[in-house]
Amino acid sequence: MVICGTPSAVAVRASAPPARWAVRAAQVAALTAVPSGVWRTVMGLGIPVGFDTRELSVPGWFTVVCVAMSLGVEGLTFLTLGLVRPWGEVVPGWIPLIGGRRVAPLAAVVPASLGAAVLLLLTIPNARGFGGAKGAPTGPALVLMDACYAPLLLWGPLLAVVTVDYYRRRRGVRGR
């Protein structure tokens, strides 16, 4: 299979294809940050969502922080897809110096495992919602905010199971 589009970048898939459930889990994981990102961006734009932003620069630096954080988190969730896509096994050819080379399995498994552990440690204590924090919304606005952040509770466990599937498929495969 041609991974990178050039004759020198021809690579044979090094492992069995991912299970259908793993692909779905990775896709869901990649979407878990969308609702909170939208909520955060809306807040950063100054649209009232119940959070007290009077002491923040809205619009201004706080807007930039909210948008950057939303894009950054969504970018990280997107990396979960690399565990079920060819670019998680062979570096895309457009990347200088390493394009077309196989990804060593542990180069993906170690950061993904650490990421899943950190996510679980960050999300489990907040699973009961964010009510009571200084400036946090109350009433229906709190329910909306919690509903937007609730999908993030799935990211850690989904990343963990997709990582285990990736490791099982790729073990014994050596990078070049």
Side-chain angles (χ1 to χ4, degrees):
M1 133 192 315
V2 176
I3 301 293
C4 305
T6 63
S8 62
V10 175
V12 177
R13 189 175 195 108
S15 63
R20 179 177 277 156
W21 66 263
V23 173
R24 293 282 183 242
Q27 292 168 337
V28 171
L31 296 173
T32 58
V34 172
S36 61
V38 169
W39 185 91
R40 191 180 310 107
T41 300
V42 166
M43 179 183 65
L45 292 173
I47 298 169
V49 291
F51 210 96
D52 184 8
T53 58
R54 286 178 286 178
E55 297 179 18
L56 303 170
S57 175
V58 176
W61 69 266
F62 186 70
T63 304
V64 173
V65 168
C66 288
V67 171
M69 186 183 301
S70 297
L71 292 174
V73 171
E74 190 56 41
L76 290 172
T77 63
F78 179 75
L79 289 176
T80 307
L81 292 174
L83 299 171
V84 296
R85 297 282 192 260
W87 53 269
E89 295 185 20
V90 178
V91 179
W94 56 266
I95 297 179
L97 304 176
I98 61 171
R101 294 187 183 195
R102 292 196 189 285
V103 174
L106 290 180
V109 171
V110 170
S113 298
L114 291 173
V118 167
L119 287 167
L120 290 168
L121 290 172
L122 290 174
T123 57
I124 289 173
N126 293 314
R128 297 181 75 185
F130 296 100
K134 183 180 181 211
T138 58
L142 176 62
V143 172
L144 176 62
M145 183 180 82
D146 284 345
C148 289
Y149 275 84
L152 286 175
L153 295 170
L154 297 174
W155 184 14
L158 289 171
L159 177 56
V161 297
V162 173
T163 301
V164 169
D165 178 70
Y166 179 88
Y167 176 74
R168 286 182 177 166
R169 289 184 297 109
R170 301 279 329 271
R171 69 177 164 216
V173 176
R174 302 220 186 259
R176 62 175 165 132

